[in-house]
Amino acid sequence: MAFRDSVCRHINHKKRIVLMAIGLFALCANAQDSIPQKKGMLQGIYRFVKEFSRVDTNYVEPQHYNFQLMLQNTNTYEFYEIANKNNQSILFAPKPSIKIGPYFGWRWIFLGYTLDVSHMHHADNKQDFNISLYSNQIGVDFFWRETGSGYKIKSLKLGEDIDTSPIKDTDFPNISASIKGLNLYYIFNHKKFSYPAAYSQSTVQRRNAGSALLGIGYTRHSLKIDWQSLDDLIEKKLGTDVASLALDSTLLFGRIRYTDISVSGGYSYNWVFAHNWLFNASLSLAVGYKNTDADMKKEHFTFEEFDFKNFNLDGVTRLGIVWNNTKWYAGASAIFHTYNYRKSQFRTNSTFGNVNIYVGFNFDRR
């Protein structure tokens, strides 16, 4: 019995070795068969990605280098206007931020660091983060802005016969605002028209061309104001009589928070007015549906709550001028976003944007 058991174990062991060998052979055979499939899939992905940068070379000269170095000056601007149903309004704006710093680029991606030289001697807790990616077919804007305490009152309207000039340019730190958002847009005429030629200097537009744009966007807005501090400031600057006619804060809110979901359409045009020179103008208008926090806290949404008054018109404007000989380039650009929000008691308008001035060069020829 012991001998038979030993023989059986020996035979079973050989069977296991044979089965393992067969399994490994089958696995290798499947791997060999899957290699062409994997290569085909990778080639398909490569062709899909390459399609984003494919252009008509009669209109657009492709990038000839892998890397870029650039020095850029960025100037940021913000404006917040608030008005009530009595046509009284106030406009706040912080001191513009002036930043300068180096950037390094590879193909579509730019990374850099800027130093805010306008706020080096005092901190105001301001945060500003922007990413813009431009391919020939698709553009993406991501922004995150947290304002600091450096606001001034740029204008105040209380009535036709009331002089409010003494309060103009007065510091008002009791306001905070933030905006976070993402815009995604598609460029239809992407083989002849180049957005990167105007805003990322990775191609050169050689002949005039334009394109229709279609996009979607999501933004989150927050605005908080200490109205009692504002009333006290108006009384101090303009007197008790004028203060009694000041903004009726009962028609407003101490904190305004809302979400904006939008669909946009527009047009952009590249004008090649001289050799190696380009001027771009772009305008997109968006129809945005805005929900306040009170709307979003409801557990269930019904179409009876859908209100056409929540639709508002927003916009994005871009301007750029560039000189680019494919090796060296220099230019300036401006990008501004405008958002409107209206309710029966009040309305707000917020505008923010950047003006950039830059010079750079390409290297490591492909």
Side-chain angles (χ1 to χ4, degrees):
M1 291 291 294
F3 175 75
R4 187 178 66 182
D5 291 341
S6 176
V7 171
C8 290
R9 284 197 299 270
H10 182 68
I11 293 172
N12 290 335
H13 180 65
K14 285 188 174 181
K15 284 184 178 179
R16 284 197 296 269
I17 293 175
V18 171
L19 290 174
M20 288 175 62
I22 294 173
L24 288 173
F25 178 79
L27 182 63
C28 291
N30 290 334
Q32 289 292 331
D33 292 338
S34 67
I35 287 175
Q37 296 177 358
K38 290 180 179 179
K39 285 184 177 179
M41 183 171 58
L42 291 175
Q43 289 174 353
I45 294 173
Y46 177 77
R47 286 193 297 269
F48 177 78
V49 172
K50 285 291 290 183
E51 188 63 27
F52 280 90
S53 59
R54 200 176 304 280
V55 296
D56 183 342
T57 54
N58 293 317
Y59 284 81
V60 179
E61 184 172 354
Q63 173 67 286
H64 301 303
Y65 299 86
N66 288 313
F67 302 104
Q68 297 179 341
L69 278 178
M70 182 176 73
L71 182 66
Q72 178 169 290
N73 160 236
T74 299
N75 307 281
T76 62
Y77 302 88
E78 299 175 34
F79 304 93
Y80 289 91
E81 183 184 28
I82 304 171
N84 60 27
K85 65 181 182 180
N86 296 332
N87 292 322
Q88 297 175 319
S89 65
I90 185 167
L91 178 65
F92 298 100
K95 180 182 177 182
S97 294
I98 302 172
K99 303 177 182 179
I100 189 168
Y103 282 77
F104 173 78
W106 174 77
R107 304 285 176 97
W108 297 347
I109 302 173
F110 255 93
L111 298 174
Y113 176 81
T114 56
L115 178 65
D116 189 346
V117 297
S118 59
H119 298 89
M120 293 183 66
H121 302 294
H122 58 88
D124 62 357
N125 299 319
K126 185 173 183 177
Q127 300 180 45
D128 184 5
F129 181 70
N130 295 272
I131 294 178
S132 292
L133 301 176
Y134 301 101
S135 73
N136 284 348
Q137 291 190 48
I138 293 177
V140 180
D141 294 327
F142 174 78
F143 42 87
W144 179 304
R145 302 170 75 95
E146 296 279 354
T147 65
S149 57
Y151 276 89
K152 293 180 180 292
I153 297 174
K154 305 304 293 185
S155 70
L156 175 65
K157 297 178 181 178
L158 299 177
E160 293 184 0
D161 300 325
I162 301 176
D163 180 18
T164 60
S165 57
I167 205 171
K168 184 178 180 181
D169 290 326
T170 301
D171 292 331
F172 186 73
N174 304 104
I175 175 176
S176 61
S178 71
I179 179 170
K180 309 171 184 68
L182 177 70
N183 291 328
L184 175 67
Y185 46 91
Y186 182 78
I187 302 160
F188 287 90
N189 189 23
H190 51 264
K191 293 191 183 298
K192 295 182 178 180
F193 169 83
S194 176
Y195 236 144
Y199 296 103
S200 63
Q201 305 83 46
S202 57
T203 59
V204 179
Q205 189 83 41
R206 290 306 185 189
R207 297 173 64 181
N208 299 340
S211 178
L213 311 173
L214 181 65
I216 56 175
Y218 171 86
T219 53
R220 174 75 170 150
H221 303 253
S222 176
L223 181 65
K224 184 178 180 181
I225 298 173
D226 185 341
W227 291 106
Q228 183 59 53
S229 297
L230 181 61
D231 290 341
D232 294 342
L233 182 62
I234 291 174
E235 182 174 0
K236 178 181 178 181
K237 291 288 184 179
L238 304 180
T240 305
D241 294 338
V242 174
S244 64
L245 302 173
L247 287 168
D248 185 357
S249 58
T250 61
L251 303 178
L252 301 164
F253 297 92
R255 190 178 186 94
I256 304 166
R257 290 188 294 191
Y258 66 93
T259 297
D260 181 353
I261 301 173
S262 64
V263 176
S264 65
Y267 192 81
S268 184
Y269 190 77
N270 281 345
W271 175 35
V272 182
F273 60 90
H275 184 62
N276 292 334
W277 282 94
L278 166 67
F279 176 77
N280 173 269
S282 176
L283 176 63
S284 293
L285 297 178
V287 177
Y289 189 82
K290 297 173 171 63
N291 278 350
T292 64
D293 271 11
D295 298 328
M296 291 182 289
K297 287 180 180 178
K298 295 178 181 178
E299 292 184 2
H300 302 287
F301 175 82
T302 66
F303 282 100
E304 294 178 355
E305 297 169 345
F306 184 84
D307 191 348
F308 279 99
K309 293 181 181 179
N310 288 343
F311 282 104
N312 293 273
L313 193 64
D314 306 322
V316 180
T317 302
R318 292 180 174 86
L319 297 171
I321 185 169
V322 185
W323 173 84
N324 190 343
N325 70 354
T326 73
K327 176 67 175 179
W328 293 87
Y329 59 86
S333 64
I335 303 174
F336 281 89
H337 302 256
T338 299
Y339 297 91
N340 297 287
Y341 180 65
R342 292 177 179 270
K343 286 293 185 182
S344 58
Q345 301 103 324
F346 72 98
R347 63 177 174 83
T348 69
N349 174 276
S350 58
T351 300
F352 70 90
N354 300 322
V355 175
N356 303 313
I357 302 171
Y358 54 83
V359 60
F361 66 96
N362 301 297
F363 63 99
D364 187 24
R365 192 175 182 87
R366 296 179 184 177

